[in-house]
Amino acid sequence: MTGQDRRHESEPMTTPAHVAIIMDGNGRWAKARGLPRLAGHRAGVEALRQTVRAAADLGISWLTVYAFSSENWSRPKSEVSDLMGLLRLFIRRDLAELHQNGVRVRTIGDRTGLQPDIAALLNEAETLTAGNSAINLVIAFNYGGRDEIARAVRKIAGQVLAGETELDQITPESVAMALDTSDIPDPDLVIRTSGEQRLSNFLLWQAAYSELIFMSCYWPDFSKGHLVEALEQFAARERRFGGLVARGAAS
Ligand code: IPE
Ligand code: IPE
Ligand code: MG
């Protein structure tokens, strides 16, 4: 898995630099098979593994995945605990291989709301892989767009109160710099699986001009073929960013 140097001729010409995915439908995938929801989440982790490989193969530089939202705490305790357990397992089992494959792991979301051992694992993943550059894997965990923006506002208000900045210095650029994604480009493409057509609090600020693609397959069934299909649809889109001239899909 080496990113750019593994392009194939059949791949679309305009590959998005940053693809963000709302990995939805694990529960329904399990229900359709008469299995517990946990089985769906486990299968979802496997789909994530394959998708990281596929994204790197296809020359995508940034892959952000929505793994746990700030609203997912409202699920039954047992499911929340299963999801926390799966994140632990994923980092423990997969970190070495991700590192070997040149994946740089980053996380976005509120760390303060997480159990200390989980926060430590996320730190470990980021630190170990900080020097990698084949692909950036951004894990959105305990993430919510509104929460992220509220934390950014709090940060900026603190700077104003401390006399470090002034009100008229607050601009879209300075707000972007206060978000969890300050050093991450905006997603070019947001994909949501499972047929739901909403953002569910994902990258509200950053997705302002992202192309959105909704796919009907449940997340555990998502494969490289689905990713290629999404990239093909993306390549056919015309992005205007408010102007009159199409800038081409990859901007
Ligand atoms: C996505 O699958 C995984 C998380 C939200 C953590 P869901 O668990 O939302 O599955 P559905 O939407 O109930 O099918
Ligand atoms: C969004 O899916 C969150 C993740 C995929 C982690 P949800 O299943 O939580 O979203 P809603 O509740 O259907 O909007
Ligand atoms: Mg869901």
Side-chain angles (χ1 to χ4, degrees):
M1 190 164 61
T2 47
Q4 300 286 353
D5 53 42
R6 283 239 197 125
R7 278 166 188 277
H8 301 295
E9 271 175 27
S10 59
E11 282 160 20
M13 297 295 288
T14 40
T15 302
H18 185 174
V19 176
I21 305 183
I22 302 172
M23 309 184 289
D24 196 19
N26 294 350
R28 279 163 283 167
W29 181 93
K31 193 174 178 197
R33 286 161 179 75
L35 297 169
R37 290 179 63 84
L38 174 57
H41 294 312
R42 284 202 182 116
V45 174
E46 188 47 42
L48 170 61
R49 286 189 184 106
Q50 288 178 27
T51 302
V52 176
R53 281 183 218 123
D57 282 349
L58 291 164
I60 292 164
S61 306
W62 295 84
L63 176 69
T64 297
V65 292
Y66 203 7
F68 190 87
S69 79
S70 49
E71 286 72 39
N72 285 148
W73 295 104
S74 65
R75 295 191 179 195
K77 259 190 171 169
S78 59
E79 179 160 350
V80 169
S81 147
D82 285 345
L83 289 167
M84 296 296 149
L86 278 180
L87 178 77
R88 283 190 186 95
L89 210 64
F90 175 68
I91 305 264
R92 290 201 187 116
R93 278 202 192 153
D94 288 53
L95 184 57
E97 194 188 326
L98 290 168
H99 183 43
Q100 241 170 24
N101 290 332
V103 179
R104 180 170 182 183
V105 180
R106 300 174 178 229
T107 60
I108 55 172
D110 187 7
R111 283 282 179 89
T112 60
L114 295 175
Q115 285 157 317
D117 73 306
I118 292 198
L121 276 173
L122 295 178
N123 259 342
E124 185 190 332
E126 288 188 330
T127 310
L128 178 73
T129 62
N132 294 343
S133 58
I135 183 171
N136 292 277
L137 171 65
V138 183
I139 304 174
F141 201 84
N142 194 21
Y143 175 87
R146 288 178 172 179
D147 175 70
E148 180 192 34
I149 291 167
R151 284 186 286 109
V153 170
R154 229 177 285 148
K155 204 185 290 178
I156 293 170
Q159 290 165 355
V160 172
L161 286 175
E164 293 161 12
T165 189
E166 286 170 20
L167 283 183
D168 59 8
Q169 287 177 328
I170 301 174
T171 60
E173 290 73 28
S174 73
V175 173
M177 288 304 292
L179 296 171
D180 296 348
T181 51
S182 57
D183 58 348
I184 298 173
D186 287 342
D188 301 290
L189 169 62
V190 175
I191 300 170
R192 182 172 188 148
T193 58
S194 91
E196 306 297 352
Q197 302 193 3
R198 55 178 172 263
L199 287 176
S200 300
N201 210 5
F202 188 46
L203 301 177
L204 295 184
W205 175 281
Q206 300 86 342
Y209 275 101
S210 303
E211 294 299 322
L212 309 179
I213 291 181
F214 300 100
M215 306 188 97
S216 58
C217 76
Y218 294 140
W219 174 248
D221 290 327
F222 190 83
S223 64
K224 188 175 184 179
H226 290 99
L227 185 57
V228 169
E229 189 187 317
L231 296 191
E232 281 167 359
Q233 281 188 42
F234 173 84
R237 300 268 178 103
E238 196 176 88
R239 301 181 80 188
R240 293 195 206 98
F241 299 93
L244 296 180
V245 183
R247 289 206 222 151
S251 76

